[in-house]
Amino acid sequence: MVSIGPSTKGYAWPEDPKTIEEEGCMEAADPSKVSSSARSRGAPQLGSLGSGNHFVEIERADRIFDEQVAQRLGIHNKGQILVLIHTGAEDMGTRYVAIT
């Protein structure tokens, strides 16, 4: 299992993983399967958003359409400030198709 470590390094709150994909852990992840070329290609992007259409967006919740879903995502009230970060998957889909 590979775990995302920001909450253990003081960059996030302990409850944050519950609001992200797979709760911050990938049960089937196997770091030994990542090639050295993929590691060297990705290393310069650590700590950045990467490149291309990657962005950070600051938003305000002006409407809540589904209270239950909003609560699961950590959106507790109208007017709450939210941060959306899109970093992509570095053409993971294309690479998967090429492998299979």
Side-chain angles (χ1 to χ4, degrees), residues 9-71:
K9 297 180 180 180
Y11 302 132
W13 290 283
E15 63 272 15
D16 284 349
K18 292 181 178 156
T19 63
I20 61 176
E21 190 172 30
E22 296 190 44
E23 293 190 18
C25 294
M26 297 180 70
E27 293 288 336
D30 182 354
S32 71
K33 302 292 183 192
V34 180
S35 70
S36 59
S37 64
R39 289 177 192 269
S40 63
R41 201 174 55 247
Q45 296 183 33
L46 287 176
S48 77
L49 290 178
S51 61
N53 71 337
H54 303 167
F55 61 86
V56 173
E57 185 175 292
I58 300 172
E59 307 167 334
R60 181 177 51 83
D62 66 349
R63 288 177 284 179
I64 295 177
F65 296 99
D66 186 321
E67 292 282 338
Q68 191 174 23
V69 171
Q71 289 292 318

Side-chain angles (χ1 to χ4, degrees), residues 2-12 24:
V2 175
S3 179
I4 296 175
S7 63
T8 62
K9 297 180 180 180
Y11 302 132

